[in-house]
């Protein structure tokens, strides 16, 4: 891999919670267009890595550079603007809002937000609305044609599988460079998990430039969709490589057995 | 686009179903106006009690039969006709009671509360900011109108705007603590402000101290609102002036708040209320929307206060105490958080009921408190819950 293929470069990323070292001098690179699996037992710091990277928590030490731009001190809003979109381990949709509204939440930076545009220039607003509706519909259709006919229903009406799909659509609508998926299969059956992974592979086929970091526990899923894996334990990266290499690693086996 | 129009064909605005629902809405509007007139006329508490019972039975029956939903759908497509029916209803009531000072004052007070409720609705209903000092911001508007009508030559219509702007500016004093703290702490800040504000008015002799201040009348194009209206054989109380003006201002404010909701602004505010962390991760500037919504809300509340002061002709600190703020909040909770129509219903209940049932006057707080608790328990989204956002009502294409 050459330098220009590196999309995200993290060096020495460290995060303390009081005395607890949740991320321990983590070095991690993500290349353009790859799917990187982020593995590790519960409590090993995977979600914390996402939270620090996306500006929810500050870095205690270290830095992150995205496409040549230092995002270490950026706010959550700025990181999103730089091209990083994410989903959450515990789904965080706006349940009382419609499917369309939820996806538009993810499109915030590409909407016209001026007072006169929104309140007075209603024709122009209607045009922007219709263009966005069509785009959101097309995106949802990649995941599920049935969902695309229910754009105006509240998200609370949908089962978990659809909610995960909607959450991923919300992250994708702004065409990010990097997509962070935090346990997208949590709370779903084996069957549903594989359906969702088909969707993710379909997205990948549509947008070859997009890099994805996915936190996932199910080994068959990891094997199927990741190009590369990194394993955390107690906030430290203990191993990095292809799935086959990673599962053969002695330290990784110990980490999982130790935690189990 | 083809699929979109197919999907919405089922609820085309001109289908026969929609037409019958529209007629039902028209009949419903007429019935409601008649009911309101009867209620406002009622003097014996037995009649009032009977009418209340009738209202409850009627509302339950209508919702069981699905009439409310159908009317809602019909008006989703033909919203302008709904506005026309409602405005016509208010005008009919105004006509019926044209010489009855007290009833006109009461109807106008309902509209003033609803106007202030619209402001709180932006703050609490859209952004989730709990403002327990609504009456203080009404007070800022009212005192502005008192000082400016008595001591300046500024046209009173402009004073309404100034009342709103000053209220919004005073709100900026609170904006820092409201932004810094979350949830209940922000609410406590506003309570402290409400109490400070009332004490400030009481000790401030320039503003009349505890006795309060007289307020000059509204006037438009040289027409003073203190004059009764007469032309030809038509005679009406001077309160008719205020009723018509308040109706016009309220209609404007209602349209404004609706447009806020039906735009990316309303969407962003909803996202901030529902999940700040997720909103931030999608680029939504939390502060920006909170400042905008809080300020817009206080502006509307201040305008309501300025009209109210001019109409009353005399104001005192006791009108703007913490308990009045609680009444305002109960309007938003009762009506349906985030639904401006709910405010109309709730304002009517909160203003008219205690006047009609004198026996409950003293227990009015107890009554509203229990009402709010009951509604929150059994209809947590309020009497008229907010529906899905309909960005462009009446359009055939889906959104
Ligand atoms: N906000 C927080 N405050 C304190 N400790 C936290 C916080 N978030 C995470 N942690 C701790 O950091 C460690 C890593 O957690 P997390 O990143 O959620 O793990 P994973 O996602 O790998 O299961 C855990 O010990 C967790 O308890
Ligand atoms: Mg986690």
């Amino acid at each position: 891999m050459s330098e220009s293929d590196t999309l995200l470069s993290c060096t020495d990323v460290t995060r303390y919670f009081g005395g607890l070292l949740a991320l321990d001098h983590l070095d991690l690179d993500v290349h353009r267009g790859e799917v990187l699996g982020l593995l590790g037992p519960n409590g090993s710091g995977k979600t914390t890595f996402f939270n620090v990277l996306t500006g929810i928590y500050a870095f205690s030490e270290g830095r992150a550079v995205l496409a040549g731009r230092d995002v270490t001190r950026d706010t959550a809003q700025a990181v999103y603007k730089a091209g990083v979109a994410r989903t959450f381990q515990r789904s965080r949709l706006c349940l009382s809002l419609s499917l369309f509204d939820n996806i538009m939440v993810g499109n915030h930076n590409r909407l016209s937000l001026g007072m006169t545009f929104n309140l007075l220039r209603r024709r122009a607003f209607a045009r922007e609305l219709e263009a966005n509706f069509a785009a959101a519909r097309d995106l949802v259709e990649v995941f599920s044609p049935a969902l695309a006919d229910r754009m105006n229903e509240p998200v609370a009406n949908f089962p978990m599988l659809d909610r995960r799909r909607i959450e991923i659509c919300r992250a994708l609508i702004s065409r990010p460079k990097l997509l962070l998926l935090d346990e997208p299969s949590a709370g779903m059956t084996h069957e549903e998990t594989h359906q969702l992974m088909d969707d993710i592979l379909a997205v990948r086929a549509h947008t070859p430039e997009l890099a994805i970091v996915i936190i996932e526990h199910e080994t068959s899923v990891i094997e199927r969709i990741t190009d590369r894996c990194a394993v955390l334990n107690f906030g430290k990266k203990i191993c990095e490589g292809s799935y086959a290499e990673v599962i053969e690693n002695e330290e990784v086996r110990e980490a999982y057995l130790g935690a189990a | 686009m083809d699929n979109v129009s197919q999907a919405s064909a089922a609820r085309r605005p001109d289908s026969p179903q929609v037409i019958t629902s529209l007629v039902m809405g028209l009949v419903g509007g007429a019935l409601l106006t008649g009911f309101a007139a009867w209620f406002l006329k009622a003097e014996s508490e037995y009649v009032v009690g009977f009418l209340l019972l009738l209202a409850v039975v009627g509302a339950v029956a209508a919702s069981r039969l699905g009439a409310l939903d159908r009317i809602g759908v019909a008006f989703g497509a033909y919203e302008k006709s709904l506005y026309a029916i409602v405005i016509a209803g208010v005008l009919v009531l105004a006509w019926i009671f044209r010489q009855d000072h007290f009833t006109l004052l009461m109807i106008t007070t309902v509209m003033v509360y609803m106007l202030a409720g619209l402001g709180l609705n932006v703050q609490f209903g859209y952004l989730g900011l709990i403002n327990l000092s609504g009456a203080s911001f009404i007070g800022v508007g009212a005192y502005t109108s008192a000082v400016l009508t008595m001591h300046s030559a500024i046209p009173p219509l402009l004073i309404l705007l100034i009342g709103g702007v000053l209220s919004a500016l005073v709100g900026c004093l609170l904006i820092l603590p409201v932004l810094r703290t979350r949830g209940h702490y922000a609410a406590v800040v506003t309570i402290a402000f409400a109490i400070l504000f009332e004490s400030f008015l009481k000790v401030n002799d320039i503003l009349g101290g505890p006795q309060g201040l007289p307020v000059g009348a509204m006037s438009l194009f040289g027409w003073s609102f203190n004059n009764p209206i007469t032309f030809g054989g038509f005679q009406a109380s001077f309160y008719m002036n205020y009723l018509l003006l308040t109706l016009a201002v309220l209609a404007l404010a209602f349209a404004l708040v609706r447009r806020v909701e039906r735009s990316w602004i309303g969407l962003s505010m909803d996202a901030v209320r529902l999940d700040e962390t997720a909103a931030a991760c999608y680029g939504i500037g939390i502060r920006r929307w909170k400042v905008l919504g809080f300020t817009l809300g206080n502006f509307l509340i201040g305008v309501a206060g300025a009209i109210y002061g001019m109409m009353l002709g005399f104001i005192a600190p006791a009108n703007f105490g913490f308990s009045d703020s609680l009444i305002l909040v109960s309007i938003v909770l009762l009506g349906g958080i985030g639904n401006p129509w709910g405010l109309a219903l709730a304002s009517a209940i909160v203003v008219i009921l205690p006047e009609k049932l004198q026996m409950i006057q003293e227990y009015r707080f107890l009554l509203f408190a229990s009402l709010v608790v009951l509604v929150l328990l059994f209809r947590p989204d309020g009497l008229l819950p907010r529906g899905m956002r309909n960005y462009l009502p009446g359009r055939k294409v889906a959104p």
Side-chain angles (χ1 to χ4, degrees), chain B residues 150-372:
Chain B
M150 302 310 274
H151 303 286
S152 81
I154 301 174
L157 203 56
L158 200 58
I159 295 180
L160 296 190
L161 279 183
I162 299 176
V165 170
L166 277 183
S167 169
L169 285 178
V170 171
C172 294
L173 293 178
L174 283 186
I175 198 72
L176 271 183
V178 164
L179 286 180
R180 277 216 193 110
T181 53
R182 277 197 188 195
H184 306 309
Y185 295 104
V188 170
V189 169
T190 66
I191 294 178
F193 176 73
I195 292 167
L196 274 177
F197 182 77
E198 198 186 350
S199 329
F200 166 77
L201 291 179
K202 278 186 181 149
V203 300
N204 193 319
D205 286 333
I206 303 172
L207 293 176
Q211 270 73 47
L213 282 180
V215 191
M218 181 74 197
S219 72
L220 265 186
F221 312 116
W223 170 260
S224 164
F225 274 35
N226 274 353
N227 297 328
I229 302 178
T230 48
F231 52 78
F234 178 82
Q235 288 201 327
S237 152
F238 75 96
Y239 280 123
M240 184 68 88
N241 297 305
Y242 285 103
L243 186 148
L244 295 175
L245 174 73
T246 311
L247 182 60
V249 173
L250 179 60
L252 274 178
F254 193 97
L256 173 74
V257 170
R258 275 261 113 137
R259 283 196 176 181
V260 166
E261 190 217 331
R262 292 166 170 179
S263 69
W264 305 135
I265 298 177
L267 174 66
S268 307
M269 289 181 175
D270 280 332
V272 169
R273 178 185 81 253
L274 291 167
D275 191 335
E276 269 187 34
T277 305
C281 285
Y282 289 103
I284 297 178
I286 310 294
R287 283 161 177 259
R288 169 183 181 177
W289 299 114
K290 282 190 175 174
V291 170
L292 178 72
F294 195 65
T295 305
L296 175 62
N298 289 333
F299 173 79
L300 292 176
I301 301 173
V303 172
I307 297 182
Y308 197 47
M310 291 182 195
M311 180 172 71
L312 293 181
F314 201 93
I315 52 171
N319 299 85
F320 313 110
F322 178 52
S323 55
D324 300 276
S325 297
L326 288 182
I327 296 262
L328 279 176
V329 171
S330 71
I331 288 179
V332 179
L333 292 177
L334 271 184
I337 300 159
N339 179 6
W341 287 116
L343 298 172
L345 179 63
S347 310
I349 292 176
V350 164
V351 173
I352 299 175
L353 216 53
E355 298 298 344
K356 285 291 161 186
L357 293 175
Q358 289 295 334
M359 58 175 187
I360 64 162
Q361 271 283 15
E362 291 171 43
Y363 303 106
R364 131 186 126 102
F365 284 107
L366 190 65
L367 179 86
F368 294 146
S370 353
L371 207 57
V372 168

Side-chain angles (χ1 to χ4, degrees), chain A residues 17 20 22 40-49 57 89 182-183 215:
Chain A
F17 290 112
L20 178 88
N42 275 330
S44 57
K46 306 179 296 293
T47 298
T48 302
F49 174 66
Y57 298 142
Q89 182 168 354
D182 195 346
E183 298 197 27
I215 298 176

Side-chain angles (χ1 to χ4, degrees), chain A residues 54 56 76-77 80 84-88 92 94 96-98 100-101 104-106 108-109 111-115 117-120 122 125-126 128-130 132-133 137 141 152-154 167 170-171, chain B residues 1 3-4 7 11 256 258-265 267-268 270-271 273-286 288-289 292 296 386-389 391-393 395 397-399:
Chain A
T54 56
I56 293 182
Q77 285 88 348
Y80 161 81
V84 181
R86 67 174 290 185
T87 68
F88 297 88
R92 294 186 91 139
C94 303
S96 56
L97 300 186
S98 70
F100 173 65
D101 278 0
M104 279 307 107
V105 166
H108 193 257
N109 276 0
L111 301 175
S112 307
L113 298 168
M115 290 283 272
F117 178 86
N118 278 276
L119 303 182
L120 301 176
R122 293 297 284 182
F125 176 79
E128 183 168 308
L129 176 72
E130 265 153 31
N132 276 289
F133 189 81
R137 227 188 105 88
E141 209 154 26
N152 290 318
E153 273 186 49
E167 221 183 347
R170 175 172 74 172
Chain B
M1 248 358 179
N3 290 334
V4 177
R11 50 181 185 87
L256 173 74
R258 275 261 113 137
R259 283 196 176 181
V260 166
E261 190 217 331
R262 292 166 170 179
S263 69
W264 305 135
I265 298 177
L267 174 66
S268 307
D270 280 332
R273 178 185 81 253
L274 291 167
D275 191 335
E276 269 187 34
T277 305
C281 285
Y282 289 103
I284 297 178
I286 310 294
R288 169 183 181 177
W289 299 114
L292 178 72
L296 175 62
R386 177 180 177 186
M388 284 291 102
R389 189 188 328 275
Y391 289 94
L392 302 167
R395 284 180 77 103
V397 181

Side-chain angles (χ1 to χ4, degrees), chain A residues 19-227:
Chain A
L20 178 88
L21 188 52
L23 287 176
D24 187 357
H25 300 276
L26 182 67
D27 294 321
L28 191 67
D29 283 0
V30 180
H31 309 300
R32 282 177 211 278
E34 79 169 340
V35 178
L36 174 70
L38 192 57
L39 318 183
N42 275 330
S44 57
K46 306 179 296 293
T47 298
T48 302
F49 174 66
F50 280 9
N51 286 341
V52 167
L53 181 61
T54 56
I56 293 182
Y57 298 142
F59 287 66
S60 299
E61 283 166 42
R63 57 191 227 118
V65 177
L66 182 86
R69 180 166 165 243
D70 190 330
V71 294
T72 312
R73 277 174 222 300
D74 280 3
T75 60
Q77 285 88 348
V79 175
Y80 161 81
K81 211 167 182 174
V84 181
R86 67 174 290 185
T87 68
F88 297 88
Q89 182 168 354
R90 244 190 72 248
S91 162
R92 294 186 91 139
L93 291 166
C94 303
L95 293 183
S96 56
L97 300 186
S98 70
L99 197 175
F100 173 65
D101 278 0
N102 269 281
I103 293 180
M104 279 307 107
V105 166
N107 210 19
H108 193 257
N109 276 0
R110 302 179 345 140
L111 301 175
S112 307
L113 298 168
M115 290 283 272
T116 45
F117 178 86
N118 278 276
L119 303 182
L120 301 176
R121 297 178 51 212
R122 293 297 284 182
R123 270 167 209 277
F125 176 79
R127 277 197 298 278
E128 183 168 308
L129 176 72
E130 265 153 31
N132 276 289
F133 189 81
R137 227 188 105 88
D138 289 346
L139 179 61
V140 172
E141 209 154 26
V142 173
F143 285 77
S144 154
L147 266 189
D149 287 332
R150 300 172 68 186
M151 299 288 286
N152 290 318
E153 273 186 49
V155 164
N157 286 0
F158 296 104
M160 189 50 86
L161 171 61
D162 284 336
R163 290 190 195 177
R164 294 287 183 189
R165 286 170 162 157
I166 296 166
E167 221 183 347
I168 296 173
C169 287
R170 175 172 74 172
L172 285 174
I173 189 77
S174 63
R175 300 166 192 274
K177 298 187 181 88
L178 174 62
L179 174 65
L180 308 176
L181 299 173
D182 195 346
E183 298 197 27
S185 67
M188 297 202 300
T189 64
H190 186 78
E191 182 59 28
E192 288 173 332
T193 304
H194 278 273
Q195 277 180 32
L196 187 68
M197 294 309 146
D198 290 340
D199 295 338
I200 292 173
L201 289 174
V203 167
R204 213 190 153 193
H206 273 251
T207 45
E209 271 285 278
L210 175 72
I212 302 177
V213 179
I214 180 171
I215 298 176
E216 178 55 61
H217 287 297
E218 194 157 324
T219 45
S220 61
V221 169
I222 302 165
E223 181 170 19
R224 183 162 157 229
I225 79 165
T226 62
D227 303 315

